């Protein structure tokens, strides 16, 4: 094989190797780009889902915050109305200062939370009704009826807030228990205990149909009180059993006081039909104790519910950090893929500098083949004969050449 043919073969091999290496690099780049595209798509989808979920839950917690704030003042208003009714039924002057204070607080709560909770119209109607009752100052049965109407509206407002504030539908079992108690259970206990004492005061010592109606109404109220108290009392145990962890330690003392107070008015012994309520003063005292225990328990439950919402907000903040972690992981993986692609030319075992030098070789070979001098055929035969006998290629020492002469 002549030198030109060897050069051409070498160039062909170099070009072929360089094309193969470039093909492999191109394949790696294509694979890397595909992986980066897939990862980017998965990351975008995961991030969107996480952020959407976090945003939705954050909106729910914000609504619950509004509802919690509003309900605290609604409960205070119900308590003030209940006390005002009891005083008016007995011909006493209601505590208008406490009522006005509760109304001012409700106005502020409705100004800050009413749009979110959609309570503007309800509160406007309730405020008008309360102002009318305060202006008319009814007493006796009329006071029981008039105040009873506005108390019912206040309890319905609390139920509306619990619904639009997403409190009573909270998926967390403990928060749902707390909201259910302060929205639906305790207001009933708070008002009905005093209503039983008020009815006993009005009709307890009368005779005829009025006394019978009062006795029946008081019996129904006491039965309802017992059912609600059991629901509040056992609900915490159900939450503990379902969650497997101890919850509501702060509720222990006020819940015991609540259970004891309600038991005096609507416990198993108190509900014995052979022992109907007859002591107006004693029943009134017990009703006020139930009211105080209910408001105290409601305050602790509000605080506990607020703490639970704070913990949930922190968990949502942690959830928002997950997309950031995914982003960091995606960047690291992308760097690894780029490292795999970019330095691939050196991992092939041959530096592309050889390819660059070899790319100029065909032109050199062409120039060599053009500049080679032409050799006569007879000279080639002479050279071949010299090679055959050895004289043309074997070097001899100078001394040997002299002796041969």
């Amino acid at each position: 094989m002549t030198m030109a043919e060897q050069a051409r073969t070498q160039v062909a091999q170099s070009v072929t190797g360089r094309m193969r290496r470039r093909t492999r690099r191109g394949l790696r780049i294509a694979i890397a780009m595909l992986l980066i595209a897939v990862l980017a798509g998965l990351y975008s989808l995961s991030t969107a889902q996480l952020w959407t979920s976090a945003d939705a839950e954050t909106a729910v917690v914000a609504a619950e915050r509004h509802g919690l704030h509003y309900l605290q003042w609604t409960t205070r208003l119900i308590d003030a109305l209940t006390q005002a009714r009891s005083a008016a039924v007995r011909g006493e002057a209601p505590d208008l200062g406490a009522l006005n204070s509760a109304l001012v607080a409700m106005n502020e709560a409705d100004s800050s939370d009413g749009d979110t909770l959609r309570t503007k119209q309800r509160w406007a109607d309730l405020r008008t009704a309360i102002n009318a009752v305060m202006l008319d100052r009814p007493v006796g049965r009329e006071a029981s009826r008039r105040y009873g109407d506005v108390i019912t509206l206040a309890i319905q407002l609390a139920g509306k807030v619990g619904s639009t504030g997403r409190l009573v539908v909270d998926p967390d079992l403990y928060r749902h228990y707390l909201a259910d108690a302060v929205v639906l259970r305790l207001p009933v206990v708070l008002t009905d205990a005093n209503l039983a004492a008020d009815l006993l005061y009005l009709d307890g010592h009368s005779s005829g149909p009025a006394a019978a109606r009062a006795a029946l109404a008081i019996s129904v109220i006491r039965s309802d009180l017992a059912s609600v108290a059991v629901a509040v009392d056992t609900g915490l145990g159900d939450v503990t059993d379902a969650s497997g962890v101890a919850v509501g330690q702060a509720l222990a003392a006020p819940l015991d006081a609540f259970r004891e107070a309600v038991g005096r008015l609507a416990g198993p012994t108190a509900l014995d039909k052979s022992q109907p309520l007859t002591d107006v003063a004693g029943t009134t005292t017990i009703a006020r104790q139930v009211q105080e225990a209910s408001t105290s328990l409601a305050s602790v439950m509000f605080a506990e519910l607020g703490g639970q919402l704070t913990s949930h907000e922190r968990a949502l903040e942690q959830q928002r950090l997950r997309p950031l972690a995914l982003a960091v992981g995606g960047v690291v993986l992308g760097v690894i893929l780029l490292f795999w692609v970019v330095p691939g030319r050196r991992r092939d075992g041959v530096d592309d500098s050889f390819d660059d030098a070899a790319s100029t070789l065909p032109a050199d070979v062409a120039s060599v083949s053009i500049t080679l001098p032409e050799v006569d055929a007879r000279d080639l035969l002479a050279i071949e004969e010299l090679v055959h006998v050895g004289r043309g290629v074997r070097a001899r020492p100078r001394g040997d050449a002299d002796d041969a002469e």
Side-chain angles (χ1 to χ4, degrees):
M1 179 181 296
T2 64
M3 183 173 61
E5 292 174 341
Q6 291 178 352
R8 291 192 185 94
T9 302
Q10 182 180 1
V11 170
Q13 291 175 348
S14 175
V15 171
T16 302
R18 180 157 53 88
M19 293 179 63
R20 289 176 178 174
R21 287 191 295 276
R22 288 184 176 178
T23 301
R24 287 196 294 268
R25 283 200 302 273
L27 181 60
R28 281 197 298 269
I29 292 173
I31 294 174
M33 293 299 102
L34 178 61
L35 289 176
I36 290 175
V38 171
L39 290 174
L42 292 176
Y43 165 74
S44 300
L45 179 61
S46 300
T47 301
Q49 290 178 342
L50 289 173
W51 276 100
T52 301
S53 176
D55 288 343
E57 291 192 43
T58 300
V60 171
V61 173
E64 288 180 304
R65 282 288 185 191
H66 286 290
L68 178 62
H69 177 254
Y70 201 103
L71 279 172
Q72 289 176 300
W73 298 113
T74 307
T75 302
R76 177 182 172 184
L77 176 64
I78 293 172
D79 180 51
L81 288 172
T82 301
Q83 294 187 42
R85 180 182 62 184
S86 295
V89 164
R90 290 161 177 77
E92 303 171 359
D95 188 353
L96 297 182
L99 268 177
N100 284 321
S101 177
L103 289 174
V104 170
M106 279 296 299
N107 282 330
E108 295 176 354
D110 195 70
S111 296
S112 61
D113 307 315
D115 289 332
T116 301
L117 299 172
R118 303 191 296 276
T119 58
K120 291 287 188 180
Q121 187 60 49
R122 281 178 178 265
W123 168 239
D125 295 341
L126 176 57
R127 181 179 55 203
T128 300
I130 293 174
N131 288 331
V133 174
M134 293 173 63
L135 182 63
D136 294 343
R137 296 189 178 185
V139 295
R141 297 181 188 279
E142 181 66 10
S144 178
R145 184 184 67 80
R146 295 283 300 278
Y147 275 102
D149 291 341
V150 294
I151 288 172
T152 299
L153 291 176
I155 292 176
Q156 291 175 350
L157 176 61
K160 169 71 173 179
V161 172
S163 177
T164 57
R166 307 296 298 274
L167 288 165
V168 294
V169 294
D170 195 305
D172 180 81
L173 189 59
Y174 187 36
R175 295 197 299 269
H176 172 76
Y177 160 75
L178 293 171
D180 180 77
V182 297
V183 174
L184 303 176
R185 311 291 184 182
L186 292 181
V188 174
V189 178
L190 181 68
T191 59
D192 282 4
N194 280 278
L195 178 59
D198 294 343
L199 291 176
L200 185 63
Y201 175 84
L202 291 171
D203 296 317
H205 298 293
S206 61
S207 58
R213 287 195 299 270
L216 178 60
I218 292 172
S219 177
V220 172
I221 290 172
R222 295 171 73 190
S223 178
D224 291 342
L225 286 175
S227 299
V228 172
V230 169
V232 173
D233 188 21
T234 60
L236 184 61
D238 294 339
V239 172
T240 303
D241 294 340
S243 61
V245 296
V247 294
Q249 289 86 350
L251 303 179
L255 191 57
D256 288 340
F258 171 79
R259 185 188 305 112
E260 182 179 356
V262 175
R264 297 193 191 102
L265 185 62
T269 303
L271 289 177
D272 189 344
K273 293 182 179 180
S274 63
Q275 297 181 3
L277 293 178
T278 56
D279 184 1
V280 176
T283 301
T284 301
T285 300
I286 294 174
R288 289 176 179 172
Q289 291 174 348
V290 172
Q291 184 178 5
E292 292 174 358
S294 299
T295 55
S296 176
L297 179 59
S299 297
V300 176
M301 284 185 166
F302 280 129
E304 186 77 3
L305 184 55
Q308 289 294 312
L309 290 177
T310 299
S311 299
H312 188 41
E313 287 170 337
R314 291 173 181 171
L316 290 177
E317 289 299 324
Q318 293 295 324
Q319 182 176 335
R320 287 182 178 275
L321 293 178
R322 294 178 187 174
L324 180 59
L326 285 175
V328 173
V331 170
V332 172
L333 187 56
V335 170
I336 293 173
L337 289 174
L338 290 176
F339 176 79
W340 180 62
V341 172
V342 173
R345 61 196 306 175
R346 296 186 179 274
R347 289 198 302 272
D348 290 334
V350 180
D351 198 318
D352 278 349
S353 60
F354 175 80
D355 294 339
D356 297 337
S359 64
T360 63
L361 192 56
D364 295 340
V365 172
S367 63
V368 170
S369 62
I370 294 171
T371 57
L372 284 175
E374 295 184 1
V375 182
D376 189 82
R378 291 172 296 180
D379 294 336
L380 291 176
L381 290 175
I383 292 172
E384 183 179 356
E385 180 64 23
L386 289 174
V387 172
H388 179 70
V389 298
R391 295 179 60 88
V393 297
R394 183 171 55 189
R396 299 181 62 188
R398 185 178 184 82
D400 294 343
D402 294 342
D403 293 339
E405 293 176 354

